[in-house]
Amino acid sequence: MSVHKKIKKITTHVLSEMKLKNEKIAMLTAYDFSMARLVDQAGIDVILVGDSASNVMAGNDTTLSITLDEMINYARPVVRATERALVVVDMPFGTYQGNSKVALSSAIRIMKETGAHAVKLEGGEEIKESIERILSAGIPVMGHLGLTPQSIHKFGTYIVRAKEEDEANKLIEDANLLEELGCFAIVLEKIPAELAEKVASTVKIPVIGIGAGPMVDGQVLVLHDMLGLTQEFSPRFLRRYHNLSSEIIGSVENYIDDVKSLDFPNEKEQY
Ligand code: KIV
């Protein structure tokens, strides 16, 4: 039987086993109790409380403004709703870069106040000390390389990363470093499929792609994007499994009509 089916609780160890057995890892974001419960019931392997909450939940243009308190508030109900999936929480911008002691206390707050199972940090060599210190406290760390949205003002654009040799080489070095440090997995965002395949076959830890092609160990999407709750965002890598925005607008329009025409509530819908 596949590792995926027989496991009642996904751990970082299970994810390594899945890579060994070439079973793909399915990961999605969630930011609230109701959605997390559905996603977990459907059998997702990893739930990411992503700092994409800054965009899809709070309506900000970038992920930079979300705070540690906000991330903790999003993560706590997600953990409460989850029985099977591994829950990973993004460390927000400004809580881990530059000072590894601050990084550790931010990660400890996430683990203690949410009950999550791991944290995710964007970057390689430049955040080495923070990763080391967090790992030394026994907190599992997921890396994130390629397009790292917290550095949007450095890149200036969200276009595909690491197309040039220099940047591709740096990404491979960073992936190797993350593995050496002890990260349990790496997210690769928006990089050429060929490069992602190379990284996934070089490192032994699972590599989860978003816009990184099929030859990695798993895929992640933002839940609101794949359900079609967001309307404007449509990069090439995004597959929409539903068009919930038009379903919701249609339902609300019907409700408004029913209220205004006195169709709702009817005789059976009252006491
Ligand atoms: O914040 C997020 O949702 C993410 C995914 C895009 C990987 O980091």
Side-chain angles (χ1 to χ4, degrees), residues 91 103-104 107 119 121 130-139 141:
M91 294 193 61
L104 177 59
V119 294
L121 284 71
S130 295
I131 294 177
E132 276 172 332
R133 205 180 270 261
I134 295 170
L135 285 167
S136 73
I139 301 172
V141 173

Side-chain angles (χ1 to χ4, degrees), residues 133-185:
R133 205 180 270 261
I134 295 170
L135 285 167
S136 73
I139 301 172
V141 173
M142 175 180 269
H144 183 154
L145 300 172
L147 176 64
T148 46
Q150 291 179 13
S151 310
I152 179 59
H153 296 306
K154 177 177 155 198
F155 299 142
T157 152
Y158 289 106
I159 57 169
V160 63
R161 304 300 315 172
K163 278 170 97 174
E164 305 302 328
E165 204 181 330
D166 281 359
E167 197 181 338
N169 288 339
K170 156 96 168 81
L171 188 142
I172 294 171
E173 276 169 29
D174 278 342
N176 284 322
L177 175 71
L178 294 181
E179 175 173 41
E180 268 169 42
L181 293 177
C183 291
F184 72 92

Side-chain angles (χ1 to χ4, degrees), residues 29 43-44 84 102 122 131 142 146 162 202 210:
T29 63
I44 203 76
R84 179 180 177 277
V102 172
E122 293 182 8
I131 294 177
M142 175 180 269
T202 307
I210 172 163

Side-chain angles (χ1 to χ4, degrees), residues 195-246:
L195 174 61
E197 177 177 5
K198 191 167 173 187
V199 174
S201 62
T202 307
V203 298
K204 292 194 175 60
I205 54 176
V207 170
I208 302 184
I210 172 163
M215 299 308 286
V216 286
D217 308 303
Q219 301 290 331
V220 55
L221 284 176
V222 168
L223 184 68
H224 289 53
D225 297 335
M226 63 83 81
L227 290 178
L229 274 165
T230 46
Q231 293 168 300
E232 306 80 23
F233 184 66
S234 57
R236 188 199 299 189
F237 67 75
L238 174 61
R239 183 177 295 180
R240 286 199 198 282
Y241 287 83
H242 221 300
N243 190 355
L244 275 191
S245 56
S246 56

Side-chain angles (χ1 to χ4, degrees), residues 29 31 48 50-52 90 120 144 187 189 210 220 222:
T29 63
Y31 321 96
L48 172 67
D51 60 356
S52 49
D90 259 338
K120 175 163 83 59
H144 183 154
V187 166
E189 180 163 354
I210 172 163
V220 55
V222 168

